[in-house]
Amino acid sequence: MPNLLLELRSEEIPARMQRKAAGDLKKLVTDALVEAGLSYEGAREYWTPRRLALDIHGLTARSADVREERKGPRTDANEKAIEGFLRGAGLSSVSEAQVVSDPKKGDFYVAVISKPGRATEEIVTDVMPGIIRDFPWPKSMRWGKASSKPGALRWVRPLQSIVCTFGPEHEETTVIPFEIDGITASNITYGHRFHAPEPITVRRFDDYAANLEKAKVILDAERRKDIILHDARDIAFANGLELVEDEGLLEEVSGLVEWPQVLMGSFEEDYLSIPSEIIRLTIKTNQKCFVTRKQGEETLSNKFILVSNIQAKDDGKEIVHGNGKVVRARLSDALHFWKRDQGNLPDLETLTASAAKFGLDINKPLDQRMAKLDALDVTFHAKLGTQGARVARIRTLAKELADITGADPALIDRAAVLAKADLRTEAVGEFPELQGLMGRKYAALQGEDASVAAAIEDHYKPQGPSDRVPEDRVAITIALADKLDTLIGFWAIDEKPTGSKDPFALRRAALGVVRILLERKVRLPLRATTKDIDLLSFFHDRLKVYLRDQGARHDLIDAVLTPDADDLLMVARRVEALTAFITSEEGKNLLAGTKRATQLLAAEEKKGTVIADGVSPALLKLDAEKELFAVISGASKDASDAVAGEDFRSAMEALSKLRGPVDRFFEDVLVNDEDAAIRANRLALLRLIREATGTVADFSKISG
């Protein structure tokens, strides 16, 4: 079957857009072809900085003929109904329709509509201009003389050429020469901008990819990544070092080059006095280079690894020299930031009021930065006030949480007032992603307690499902206070997440609270702390997500989680115990009996059947019901006592005593006895089963 090759070649596409754009191209084209009646065996997308390519193999040569019968009105219907039918079917008169007789409904019109199949070339010519013109780039531009005309083509960068060939695997292919804004598709492409600027004639994907590689273009982005990674590892190892790997940077760099050449540069060792995190970010952000370290060590070396798009005749010496100059200039700036942040601010006299408000030591650099943050009235949110006001709230909330976490109140207070101070440091101003981490380093330099320094960094954590959770009690306290203040504040101004929109990362903050409470075993009454039922429900949603990710069944979570449950750690423990119980043989059998009891009881309650207020022993006639009544009272009390003592496994064990009596009850006892008093008494016994199991979970919500 034939194959389709498509290439859209342009000026350099931003690296962050390439992967998604190639995927969008594949989906848009294949969807359009299938909608037009074609089928294909497989499709794969490719991308480089200067091209998006698509290889569709096993594509049918034409769409199938279609025959459709469209039923119309009766032959004696009114004229307007018949006219509407003819118009919709594309018929000019009733003579073009068939008349079909139905013994029950009479005679009615039927239009037979035949649509002949179309050649794939014709379909591609029809769909491609629209796909290109409406391509979903995050940002696009117009260019050239045509850019001033209405409806001019927009593309992420100027589109230069299009390749579109179609044909069998081992025969000649044809060009599908569709046209858009003066660019006509052909079988001509171009290789590397500098190494191979001559035109290349291609037929199908195999020779297209092979010819591009001869022209210094590696089409497969994953292969480019693999080359860069392994060459970088090798060059580092050859110099007695190891590469500090960075998947995000690797993805970006592979989108900047078509012919990757890995080289090593260096900078003066004096710059290693700068924290490794700053060095790494400086080199990564400004030059898209990797850093290295001595094998088995954490501290960086003064060697960096760069990826060039040019295979230079001097083995890259000039490229390395040029990159080194830029790296050294940026590191010089970083060293300046690092040293300035450890010195005094020039306007200390203006900070005394703010320093007094927060009990800050104006002689310490980090304290000065916090005082400056407050004095400048830096806005946190228009409706929630300044960063200074927020720190004051976090300070108050952290003090309240100290009793729960057991952290030292003095250390908590110190950590709270310094937690946001590094927002006014020059290092964080240059690299916002270092907030917290730089605060920890500056806190250590000015002699803060290790718990305070750790809390300054860790109060932002966890920032996602895989991020680490704070361990130190002071850090746990400040992290909870920070996240709870955020959530309480945004709930108060009704700025809640809606659908997929969560501009203030409130879901992440709530998940962070959930993870801290569960993974660090903190008992926090959320309802009393937040004073908001709707916010409590939001925590429940995040708890469900977390527990499901941990492998818990959704029905078991629902069986345990009540609307007013505000001790999430206890909820998680209940789910854990219920999971262990319900997967055991005893648990499965008790579940079956309990569900039968609750369903029968619910049905009778719905019908309004009389149910006794309590079980009368005198009305228990059969041994099975007498046994169940005798066992259920003790099991219910034992389960309740165990739950009160937060021993959920023992509560489950207590309920397991019901399994045999419940089974025998349903084997030997007819609940709906003819005697109304006996029936009401037996229904009351079923209610006792529901109440007993309800002490640990709502068994009616458990599937199975």
Side-chain angles (χ1 to χ4, degrees):
M1 294 176 73
N3 301 329
L4 178 70
L5 168 64
L6 178 71
E7 181 201 67
L8 304 174
R9 189 179 63 89
S10 67
E11 293 292 334
E12 276 71 9
I13 305 167
R16 67 184 183 278
M17 298 182 187
Q18 292 167 18
R19 183 181 291 271
K20 183 178 184 302
D24 287 342
L25 180 65
K26 174 183 172 181
K27 185 176 190 308
L28 290 169
V29 174
T30 55
D31 283 357
L33 297 180
V34 170
E35 187 177 341
L38 300 175
S39 63
Y40 64 97
E41 293 176 359
R44 184 177 173 187
E45 71 275 28
Y46 298 85
W47 63 93
T48 79
R50 299 179 64 217
R51 67 200 80 222
L52 302 178
L54 183 59
D55 171 31
I56 303 178
H57 54 273
L59 184 64
T60 46
R62 63 183 295 111
S63 61
D65 297 341
V66 176
R67 185 179 185 277
E68 175 190 354
E69 290 189 1
R70 186 176 300 179
K71 186 178 179 180
R74 286 166 51 101
T75 55
D76 57 359
N78 64 63
E79 191 174 333
K80 285 190 175 180
I82 294 174
E83 287 177 356
F85 161 66
L86 295 175
R87 191 165 49 250
L91 304 181
S92 57
S93 70
V94 291
S95 63
E96 297 178 3
Q98 296 181 4
V99 177
V100 177
S101 296
D102 186 305
K104 295 181 179 179
K105 299 181 180 179
D107 295 344
F108 57 89
Y109 290 115
V110 172
V112 179
I113 304 170
S114 296
K115 294 181 180 178
R118 301 167 66 203
T120 297
E121 293 93 324
E122 181 184 343
I123 293 172
V124 171
T125 298
D126 278 355
V127 302
M128 280 310 306
I131 289 173
I132 294 172
R133 191 174 293 281
D134 300 327
F135 201 80
W137 292 109
K139 291 184 178 180
S140 57
M141 61 181 291
R142 294 178 295 179
W143 63 92
K145 294 180 180 179
S147 63
S148 61
K149 298 177 182 177
L153 175 64
R154 300 185 68 92
W155 197 247
V156 63
R157 294 292 184 270
L159 188 62
Q160 296 177 327
S161 69
I162 301 171
V163 168
C164 189
T165 66
F166 180 67
E169 189 172 352
H170 300 295
E171 298 177 21
E172 279 304 311
T173 58
T174 59
V175 172
I176 305 179
F178 65 85
E179 186 269 341
I180 179 167
D181 272 31
I183 302 173
T184 302
S186 69
N187 59 353
I188 302 296
T189 189
Y190 295 83
H192 193 284
R193 181 188 292 277
F194 305 112
H195 290 309
E198 300 82 12
I200 302 169
T201 302
V202 299
R203 294 174 297 170
R204 55 183 59 85
F205 179 78
D206 288 346
D207 69 276
Y208 164 74
N211 284 331
L212 279 181
E213 186 144 348
K214 291 176 184 176
K216 309 296 187 193
V217 174
I218 295 174
L219 185 64
D220 188 342
E222 295 303 325
R223 189 165 154 239
R224 292 199 304 276
K225 286 175 65 174
D226 191 62
I227 290 170
I228 293 168
L229 180 60
H230 284 86
D231 284 0
R233 285 173 177 169
D234 290 347
I235 196 172
F237 182 79
N239 285 270
L241 305 169
E242 64 182 21
L243 176 72
V244 178
E245 297 185 15
D246 185 325
E247 176 61 30
L249 179 59
L250 180 61
E251 173 80 8
E252 183 177 11
V253 170
S254 72
L256 297 175
V257 296
E258 291 192 318
W259 191 247
Q261 303 297 305
V262 177
L263 304 167
M264 176 173 278
S266 64
F267 54 86
E268 288 74 14
E269 291 190 355
D270 291 349
Y271 289 122
L272 294 177
S273 63
I274 307 170
S276 295
E277 295 84 359
I278 296 182
I279 295 174
R280 183 176 179 179
L281 271 176
T282 297
I283 293 176
K284 172 183 176 178
T285 304
N286 293 290
Q287 283 304 100
K288 313 301 179 191
C289 295
F290 297 87
V291 293
T292 64
R293 59 191 168 212
K294 292 182 179 179
Q295 293 179 3
E297 296 185 12
E298 287 298 318
T299 55
L300 299 183
S301 79
N302 68 324
K303 306 288 186 182
F304 65 91
I305 290 176
L306 62 103
V307 182
S308 171
N309 192 36
I310 299 174
Q311 188 172 339
K313 294 179 180 178
D314 63 354
D315 295 326
K317 292 179 182 177
E318 196 61 36
I319 295 172
V320 168
H321 176 70
N323 276 268
K325 286 178 63 177
V326 178
V327 165
R328 283 188 285 276
R330 297 288 78 80
L331 288 176
S332 178
D333 292 342
L335 182 61
H336 177 70
F337 299 150
W338 171 241
K339 289 181 176 178
R340 288 252 308 202
D341 286 339
Q342 297 173 55
N344 290 331
L345 291 172
D347 52 353
L348 293 182
E349 68 281 357
T350 66
L351 306 179
T352 53
S354 292
K357 184 193 304 184
F358 290 99
L360 298 164
D361 184 347
I362 204 68
N363 294 310
K364 294 183 176 181
L366 200 57
D367 293 58
Q368 294 174 19
R369 271 68 186 175
M370 177 57 220
K372 187 71 172 179
L373 185 71
D374 179 66
L376 289 174
D377 286 334
V378 176
T379 300
F380 167 61
H381 185 280
K383 295 181 180 179
L384 293 174
T386 64
Q387 287 282 8
R390 183 173 183 231
V391 169
R393 293 195 303 269
I394 292 172
R395 188 183 187 189
T396 301
L397 184 52
K399 184 178 180 181
E400 296 173 4
L401 295 175
D403 292 337
I404 294 171
T405 62
D408 185 316
L411 295 180
I412 283 177
D413 190 67
R414 183 64 175 159
V417 298
L418 291 180
K420 306 296 181 183
D422 68 355
L423 296 178
R424 288 304 306 169
T425 62
E426 294 193 36
V428 173
E430 181 72 10
F431 301 113
E433 55 266 60
L434 291 180
Q435 59 186 319
L437 188 148
M438 294 311 302
R440 179 175 191 163
K441 291 185 179 296
Y442 293 135
L445 284 171
Q446 68 179 37
E448 299 296 333
D449 186 280
S451 290
V452 171
I456 293 172
E457 177 182 4
D458 289 355
H459 83 281
Y460 289 107
K461 297 183 177 300
Q463 295 196 36
S466 59
D467 195 17
R468 66 179 176 84
V469 175
E471 296 183 17
D472 183 276
R473 290 184 181 184
V474 176
I476 288 171
T477 308
I478 305 301
L480 286 172
D482 176 65
K483 292 168 179 59
L484 288 170
D485 174 74
T486 298
L487 290 160
I488 293 168
F490 281 106
W491 245 251
I493 62 173
D494 199 27
E495 288 278 2
K496 306 169 188 176
T498 55
S500 61
K501 295 182 179 179
D502 187 9
F504 303 109
L506 301 182
R507 292 189 182 96
R508 187 176 69 186
L511 179 60
V513 171
V514 169
R515 288 192 61 200
I516 292 172
L517 297 183
L518 270 55
E519 296 178 31
R520 296 295 174 252
K521 297 178 171 51
V522 178
R523 303 282 302 278
L524 176 64
L526 282 172
R527 186 173 179 179
T529 304
T530 63
K531 301 177 178 63
D532 192 311
I533 296 297
D534 185 53
L535 181 52
L536 180 61
S537 176
F538 186 69
F539 278 115
H540 286 178
D541 291 340
R542 295 304 98 199
L543 175 66
K544 290 178 182 179
V545 171
Y546 175 82
L547 291 177
R548 285 199 296 267
D549 287 346
Q550 297 298 307
R553 282 169 38 183
H554 69 89
D555 58 325
L556 301 188
I557 299 170
D558 290 341
V560 166
L561 188 58
T562 59
D564 60 348
D566 71 346
D567 187 341
L568 303 190
L569 181 59
M570 288 302 99
V571 172
R573 287 178 176 175
R574 281 177 180 254
V575 171
E576 181 183 1
L578 182 59
T579 300
F581 177 64
I582 218 69
T583 53
S584 68
E585 198 62 30
E586 283 188 333
K588 291 176 184 175
N589 291 332
L590 179 60
L591 173 63
T594 301
K595 288 179 77 70
R596 184 175 176 184
T598 55
Q599 288 168 358
L600 197 159
L601 181 62
E604 294 303 318
E605 287 174 333
K606 189 174 182 180
K607 290 191 290 186
T609 305
V610 175
I611 303 172
D613 293 335
V615 176
S616 171
L619 291 175
L620 299 173
K621 302 299 181 183
L622 302 176
D623 290 343
E625 57 184 331
K626 291 176 183 177
E627 180 193 15
L628 177 59
F629 181 61
V631 172
I632 202 167
S633 300
S636 181
K637 183 180 184 305
D638 291 346
S640 295
D641 290 346
V643 168
E646 298 176 1
D647 185 354
F648 301 114
R649 290 188 181 276
S650 294
M652 300 299 172
E653 290 173 6
L655 290 182
S656 67
K657 297 173 185 176
L658 293 174
R659 174 200 164 178
V662 168
D663 288 348
R664 284 187 287 276
F665 177 84
F666 281 113
E667 288 172 5
D668 300 349
V669 178
L670 176 64
V671 175
N672 284 322
D673 194 88
E674 292 181 358
D675 187 316
I678 292 176
R679 180 171 63 247
N681 200 55
R682 287 173 178 171
L683 288 171
L685 193 53
L686 296 187
R687 188 164 56 199
L688 285 183
I689 297 174
R690 184 171 67 185
E691 291 171 355
T693 55
T695 58
V696 294
D698 184 349
F699 274 51
S700 67
K701 293 182 177 179
I702 303 175
S703 60

